[in-house]
Amino acid sequence: MDFFRKHFINILVGILILVTLASVLPRFFSNDESLPQQVAVSNEIKEYIPPFEHEGNLSFYRKDSTLIKTFSIEFARTERETELGLMYRKSMNENEGMLFVFHDEKPRSFWMKNTYIPLDIIYLNKDKQIVSIAKNAEPLSETSRPSEGEAMYVLEINGGLSDKLGLMKGDYMTYESLID
């Protein structure tokens, strides 16, 4: 009888350990930086749409230093921010954009996975001059949109806006950060 009782207790303790691990391990291995695509709110499922965060200002100029337009920008500096980009956004104001800042200058390529709004993807070199523009990138497309030269910065703005502003290769930008 003691033999069965001892094994029963061992089995019970093993089951309790497994149940505890099953509830704790997923939280331990999850990436806290990841953003959920859906959030449960009062028994309803609502989409998660990242809010625009005004983190800086960016201005475009013609070669002769004539101001073209100033944008409120959000930065993508970290690997996670770069991966997420403007995914899941349903709209963006005409004076807003996202600036991707890289540590080196090389050919770049972007896609539109999980991005719901058409974008103009503006590639800029280390001197902050436009090297190419991927115009009206199709929402939700996984087609690669490569730069036509080496780029250190990439600005995403609403699709069609680069034509409306007359942006061209050689135009340049300046930007300032409002955050540290």
Side-chain angles (χ1 to χ4, degrees):
M1 187 76 162
D2 284 334
F3 175 78
F4 290 110
R5 186 179 206 194
K6 183 178 177 182
H7 285 292
F8 178 75
I9 291 173
N10 285 340
I11 291 171
L12 188 60
V13 167
I15 290 171
L16 289 174
I17 290 171
L18 287 174
V19 168
T20 302
L21 286 174
S23 66
V24 172
L25 284 178
R27 281 183 254 153
F28 180 77
F29 287 108
S30 72
N31 180 358
D32 288 339
E33 291 183 10
S34 66
L35 294 173
Q37 291 183 28
Q38 296 181 337
V39 177
V41 179
S42 66
N43 298 331
E44 290 181 28
I45 300 293
K46 293 194 176 184
E47 291 181 276
Y48 176 80
I49 301 172
F52 177 80
E53 294 184 33
H54 183 196
E55 299 174 328
N57 298 307
L58 180 146
S59 296
F60 271 111
Y61 297 89
R62 301 251 179 262
K63 294 175 192 176
D64 67 0
S65 300
T66 303
L67 176 66
I68 299 170
K69 182 166 179 72
T70 299
F71 291 89
S72 297
I73 56 169
E74 190 170 341
F75 287 100
R77 291 182 170 143
T78 68
E79 186 176 335
R80 181 65 189 143
E81 290 170 340
T82 299
E83 288 172 5
L84 188 61
L86 290 173
M87 287 182 179
Y88 310 111
R89 310 283 173 105
K90 298 290 184 169
S91 66
M92 186 167 58
N93 292 331
E94 188 170 290
N95 69 327
E96 296 175 342
M98 178 171 278
L99 181 64
F100 296 77
V101 180
F102 297 97
H103 298 290
D104 59 349
E105 184 182 49
K106 66 180 188 180
R108 305 271 174 211
S109 186
F110 277 51
W111 64 352
M112 298 288 289
K113 182 177 181 181
N114 299 320
T115 305
Y116 298 110
I117 53 177
L119 297 174
D120 285 350
I121 303 168
I122 304 170
Y123 296 98
L124 302 110
N125 64 20
K126 67 181 178 187
D127 297 321
K128 301 177 184 149
Q129 294 175 321
I130 297 174
V131 295
S132 65
I133 304 171
K135 297 180 180 184
N136 280 307
E138 182 184 346
L140 305 173
S141 172
E142 293 188 24
T143 301
S144 179
R145 304 295 301 256
S147 62
E148 294 174 10
E150 294 190 341
M152 190 166 173
Y153 305 92
V154 178
L155 178 69
E156 292 181 337
I157 59 176
N158 282 305
L161 193 51
S162 63
D163 279 342
K164 182 177 176 182
L165 298 172
L167 293 176
M168 300 179 296
K169 287 183 182 180
D171 290 342
Y172 68 95
M173 62 107 174
T174 61
Y175 71 90
E176 65 175 342
S177 175
L178 301 176
I179 59 172
D180 291 327

